[in-house]
Amino acid sequence: MDAEVMIRLSGVGKTYDDGTIAVHGLDLEVERGELVCLVGPSGCGKSTTLKMINRLIEHTTGTIEIAGKDVTRQDPVQLRRGIGYVIQQVGLFPHQKIIANVMTVPLLYGESRATARERARELLELVGLDPATYADRYPSQLSGGQQQRVGVARALAAKPPVLLMDEPFGAVDPLVRLRLQDEFLRLQRELGVSVVFVTHDIDEAVRLGDRVAVFATGGRLAQYDTPARLLGRPADDFVADFVGSTSGLRRLDVTPLDPAHLEPLDAVTTGDLGAAIDVGSTLGHALAVLLRDDAGMVGVRDGARFVGVLTPNGIHRALRAALAEMTEATPAG
Ligand code: ADP
């Protein structure tokens, strides 16, 4: 059975009035519950693409559908109400308390003040801001990362099936960004919302995206693939350059451990293994634990059961096998 397509762009193009071709012949599908990252150098049409989805910018060719409905056949204001939108300059109202900022959206939908307040408190909790502490503060009393969380809470207030995010974590420092990314991933999985996420940061894209669309200059889609395939099998020199020389290391974080590459347990007793990792871990996590414990191997368990040990050799074999699998899965030509 095919997964349900939530957003479908077919042959979409945008030529601005001054003749700039920002996006050209773009085909892109986002499945329900999928998180898709648009990544590429500055000026390659990422923001334009995002804003065409909620019609902040009108496309000049092709069609854009959300849940099978052509966006141009819908009233833009109605359309935007069903689509959450988060930008880097959060856009909180500075003279309103945090709770009021989040309540704006449910109130807009005609909820009573009591219901809107209740919903806003739930949302603040959802994004990790204790309402007892933060509800009555003003935006300027929050850190950049906290303001960004409020922006996410507000965008989710209408329970939108689709969320568009434009470099939402671009302005916060790297450590806070990692935390926000983790929190957001958990939230996105929990809510099952379909997300299009613009970033110029390839690390962020492969960390968050179920699939990643790499844009090249001129608004051309260079590759649309899973992070593992993007890093392991870049489609052309442009993509290879863009994912960069550290792509080997990044691949560790997007390649799951494969039980086929474990050594049997009989040679060692589980007591000597130190911390064991879960069979669902990535190779990157396995390597991190290997280096941390300096044990030369790490135990792997499936629930309570030990299933084997992973060695540096096993990690190497697993990386090579993952690449080989991609090659087999690639259509000839
Ligand atoms: P990105 O988000 O990848 O940085 P944009 O979508 O913002 O790229 O821009 C794509 C191209 O369109 C760039 O060349 C940019 O200069 C141009 N552009 C963006 N907005 C306008 C506009 N309003 N009028 C003319 N050109 C624009």
Side-chain angles (χ1 to χ4, degrees):
M1 193 184 75
D2 282 348
E4 184 187 353
V5 175
M6 195 65 199
I7 305 171
R8 176 180 281 125
L9 281 71
S10 317
V12 168
K14 173 66 185 181
T15 305
Y16 283 105
D17 291 343
D18 66 0
T20 305
I21 298 173
V23 177
H24 181 74
L26 177 61
D27 295 318
L28 193 78
E29 289 183 357
V30 179
E31 290 168 6
R32 182 184 286 279
E34 194 177 23
L35 199 171
V36 166
C37 288
L38 312 185
V39 69
S42 176
C44 64
K46 306 181 294 291
S47 285
T48 299
T49 299
L50 198 71
K51 289 176 184 159
M52 290 192 295
I53 296 173
N54 66 2
R55 291 185 66 192
L56 286 174
I57 293 174
E58 300 286 1
H59 55 284
T60 42
T61 59
T63 54
I64 301 178
E65 292 168 331
I66 296 182
K69 282 197 276 182
D70 188 329
V71 295
T72 59
R73 303 240 165 94
Q74 301 170 58
D75 173 59
V77 176
Q78 287 294 84
L79 175 76
R80 266 171 236 141
R81 285 197 182 165
I83 302 176
Y85 186 47
V86 185
I87 55 173
Q88 190 182 112
Q89 307 76 9
V90 191
L92 300 180
F93 305 119
H95 304 298
Q96 286 187 6
K97 291 176 177 174
I98 296 305
I99 188 84
N101 263 284
V102 182
M103 282 170 66
T104 315
V105 174
L107 286 175
L108 196 68
Y109 278 85
E111 300 285 5
S112 70
R113 288 195 71 78
T115 307
R117 180 174 299 274
E118 193 45 42
R119 176 95 186 113
R121 293 180 70 91
E122 274 170 29
L123 285 160
L124 286 176
E125 225 154 76
L126 198 66
V127 298
L129 293 173
D130 178 17
T133 308
Y134 295 100
D136 291 329
R137 294 198 186 172
Y138 288 92
S140 65
Q141 296 172 302
L142 269 56
S143 71
Q146 290 168 336
Q147 291 187 36
Q148 211 48 255
R149 290 189 181 98
V150 178
V152 172
R154 193 175 56 182
L156 293 171
K159 299 186 184 163
V162 171
L163 188 59
L164 307 179
M165 306 179 83
D166 200 345
E167 303 249 5
F169 310 141
V172 297
D173 70 66
L175 273 181
V176 176
R177 189 180 316 154
L178 282 178
R179 277 244 308 282
L180 287 173
Q181 289 169 350
D182 280 346
E183 288 170 11
F184 179 69
L185 262 184
R186 204 160 355 98
L187 195 64
Q188 189 264 339
R189 295 296 187 245
E190 192 180 316
L191 300 175
V193 59
S194 313
V195 179
V196 184
F197 188 112
V198 165
T199 176
H200 63 269
D201 176 359
I202 183 69
D203 287 312
E204 183 166 67
V206 298
R207 201 151 182 265
L208 293 182
D210 294 309
R211 282 191 288 175
V212 175
V214 180
F215 281 60
T217 324
R220 180 180 68 82
L221 183 59
Q223 188 168 357
Y224 186 32
D225 241 323
T226 62
R229 289 187 58 89
L230 199 67
L231 298 176
R233 288 283 177 251
D236 57 23
D237 289 349
F238 171 80
V239 178
D241 254 13
F242 191 74
V243 301
S245 56
T246 60
S247 61
L249 279 176
R250 291 197 189 103
R251 274 177 50 218
L252 287 169
D253 288 325
V254 298
T255 309
L257 198 159
D258 180 348
H261 301 106
L262 300 179
E263 322 274 344
L265 195 57
D266 37 287
V268 278
T269 60
T270 54
D272 298 335
L273 285 172
I277 58 170
D278 189 83
V279 70
S281 304
T282 62
L283 295 176
H285 180 65
L287 183 61
V289 173
L290 257 172
L291 292 172
R292 189 193 65 196
D293 294 354
D294 198 21
M297 65 180 75
V298 58
V300 179
R301 62 179 148 62
D302 186 353
R305 195 169 57 91
F306 273 87
V307 290
V309 293
L310 189 62
T311 62
N313 242 331
I315 293 180
H316 187 221
R317 281 200 307 271
L319 272 180
R320 290 182 53 171
L323 267 193
E325 232 168 68
M326 288 173 197
T327 310
E328 280 161 22
T330 305

